[in-house]
Amino acid sequence: MDATLELALDLMRRSSITPEDAGCQEAMLARLAALGFRIERLRFGEVDNFWARYGDSGPLFAFAGHTDVVPPGPLDQWQSPPFAPEIREGYLYGRGAADMKGSLAAMITACERFLAACPQPRGAIAFLITSDEEGAAVNGTVKVIEALEARGEKINWCLVGEPSSAHQLGDTVKNGRRGSLNGRLLLCGTQGHVAYPHLAQNPVHAVGAILNTLADEVWDQGHAFFPPTSFQISNLHSGTGAVNVIPGDLEMLFNFRFSPAVTIEQLRERTRLMIDTCLLNEEVKTGQVFQYDLEWSLSGMPFFTPPGDLAAAAMAAIRAETGLAAELSTSGGTSDGRFIAPTGAQVIELGPLNATIHKVNERVAVADLERLSRIYEGVLIRLLGKTQKCRP
């Protein structure tokens, strides 16, 4: 069993459901301390984080990631227990295999090999690890970055180990992500008996036009490096559970994944105008007047790293290990890279296949773990290799 697989198994056996770390960080810190990293444990609220650094001068390269995982879901649908990782037919199964304990293991073993060959690199290496990425993300990476910024410690290059690959390991490198804006619409009607609809106002009936209008809207045409903004309804709640009661209110939760082609203010204002128009039409048609409340929360702004040293090093390392010409992409959700990029760091995401993340029977190809570790090592060599022995 190779070192990367062995460490991945150790991390995956720990039930680190957000925001629990379950000892994953201490397992990583033991390996990093043995290499000579200076360790800072940074706990904010109920969230464990750490910052570990090797070297004092030169450009700073950081690995970033998270030890927390999403809940496993229905246990009876797993072919093997989610926190008892199992290898079957060349795949490692278990929660966190791809997102992202496999990546964390690959980062550690990549550093171990690199520093064995190049103990005095031409810069510094760091790890920024949180247990709050899959949750609220308020006491994790964002707080660590605030602490680093307060003392003037700057990351030059950051590789986030999110599962970026689509079909083959290394076929996609994320160099940016769309922003995420959440909305909550509370539509207020009047509760009543279904036999006397003239004495009630049914918000479920009134929301139909709002749903269609928002879902059909083209919010923008995208951006030079970003796909168009998307709108999705994530939750819709109304009613008491009784079959003979007209509900008095309705709650709708929705999300925009937005490109830099549109601003937060534009999305909010256009949404409000569409709701107003739909409810005015409802008043004209039925004579019923509905009140509403609209609340917003921002999960993250879009971020983008133009092709530069970091992306070039990653793509060269991927080609050397796999023969693939990786694609730079900004598709998909968001990540903790949104907290790191605003500091001026070059940020990319590079990790295993993402086809099974957050799903039952999450898995990663066993062979891909060691290959990913070699790719990470190749990035370190290209950016921080000091002597001919540790250059590509």
Side-chain angles (χ1 to χ4, degrees):
M1 184 182 297
D2 63 62
T4 305
L5 175 58
E6 186 175 9
L7 180 54
L9 287 166
D10 180 26
L11 297 175
M12 289 171 61
R13 292 187 183 107
R14 303 170 188 269
S15 180
S16 56
I17 299 172
T18 305
E20 295 297 325
D21 170 68
C24 293
Q25 292 182 19
E26 289 303 321
M28 296 177 67
L29 287 172
R31 303 281 281 261
L32 293 175
L35 293 174
F37 278 77
R38 296 193 310 275
I39 308 299
E40 290 183 69
R41 295 172 177 83
L42 299 167
R43 185 174 175 86
F44 300 103
E46 60 181 358
V47 176
D48 290 311
N49 312 278
F50 76 76
W51 172 253
R53 178 165 176 158
Y54 182 98
D56 296 310
S57 60
L60 174 58
F61 172 92
F63 285 112
H66 59 90
T67 54
D68 59 317
V69 297
V70 296
L75 296 180
D76 61 349
Q77 294 182 22
W78 284 80
Q79 295 175 4
S80 52
F83 296 107
E86 185 175 295
I87 298 171
R88 299 192 302 272
E89 298 180 349
Y91 287 93
L92 172 61
Y93 287 83
R95 179 58 84 221
D99 189 13
M100 57 177 289
K101 293 181 178 180
S103 296
L104 296 178
M107 293 172 183
I108 295 289
T109 57
C111 276
E112 289 173 340
R113 288 193 305 273
F114 174 72
L115 291 176
C118 192
Q120 294 182 320
R122 65 173 193 89
I125 306 171
F127 279 73
L128 194 171
I129 306 298
T130 182
S131 61
D132 190 33
E133 197 272 348
E134 299 288 10
V138 296
N139 286 316
T141 299
V142 63
K143 289 289 181 66
V144 178
I145 287 295
E146 288 174 359
L148 296 178
E149 287 285 288
R151 66 194 191 201
E153 193 167 3
K154 290 284 190 180
I155 299 171
N156 299 96
W157 304 300
C158 182
L159 191 158
V160 186
E162 290 291 345
S164 63
S165 303
H167 305 291
Q168 300 178 71
L169 176 67
D171 62 3
T172 306
V173 175
K174 306 284 188 180
N175 64 326
R177 293 281 191 155
R178 293 176 294 177
S180 178
L181 177 66
N182 306 298
R184 174 184 179 267
L185 170 66
L186 181 63
L187 186 58
C188 303
T190 303
Q191 184 173 301
H193 196 293
V194 294
Y196 303 97
H198 60 289
L199 300 178
Q201 291 176 289
N202 194 331
V204 178
H205 293 181
V207 81
I210 296 173
L211 294 179
N212 289 335
T213 301
L214 294 175
D216 291 343
E217 178 72 2
V218 177
W219 298 93
D220 60 51
Q221 299 297 327
H223 188 269
F225 297 97
F226 286 82
T229 295
S230 67
F231 168 87
Q232 287 293 317
I233 296 165
S234 56
N235 286 272
L236 197 64
H237 301 287
S238 190
T240 65
V243 298
N244 60 351
V245 178
I246 294 172
D249 54 42
L250 177 145
E251 181 188 56
M252 182 177 82
L253 305 182
F254 57 94
N255 175 268
F256 289 102
R257 291 302 167 103
F258 64 99
S259 78
V262 66
T263 67
I264 297 170
E265 292 73 21
Q266 289 170 336
L267 291 173
R268 293 174 61 171
E269 182 62 15
R270 286 168 64 183
T271 301
R272 185 188 64 80
L273 287 173
M274 289 178 190
I275 294 172
D276 285 344
T277 300
C278 290
L279 293 181
L280 180 59
N281 291 339
E282 183 71 18
E283 181 181 355
V284 170
K285 183 175 67 174
T286 68
Q288 294 185 330
V289 178
F290 290 87
Q291 303 298 320
Y292 72 90
D293 184 54
L294 192 56
E295 299 176 354
W296 299 94
S297 64
L298 178 67
S299 296
M301 292 294 291
F303 68 91
F304 178 68
T305 294
D309 298 340
L310 179 57
M315 296 176 80
I318 290 167
R319 184 183 290 274
E321 180 64 30
T322 69
L324 295 175
E327 173 191 4
L328 292 175
S329 170
T330 60
S331 63
T334 189
S335 77
D336 276 1
R338 68 189 187 274
F339 304 125
I340 303 167
T343 68
Q346 294 182 36
V347 178
I348 63 168
E349 298 171 22
L350 172 56
L353 273 66
N354 53 32
T356 64
I357 61 174
H358 292 207
K359 294 183 179 180
V360 168
N361 297 312
E362 179 181 349
R363 70 180 192 177
V364 66
V366 172
D368 281 354
L369 291 176
E370 188 61 23
R371 295 168 73 202
L372 182 62
S373 179
R374 297 290 178 185
I375 290 170
Y376 288 166
E377 181 186 7
V379 174
L380 290 171
I381 289 171
R382 286 163 176 79
L383 292 176
L384 300 179
K386 187 176 181 180
T387 66
Q388 191 62 42
K389 183 179 179 181
C390 52
R391 287 178 182 166

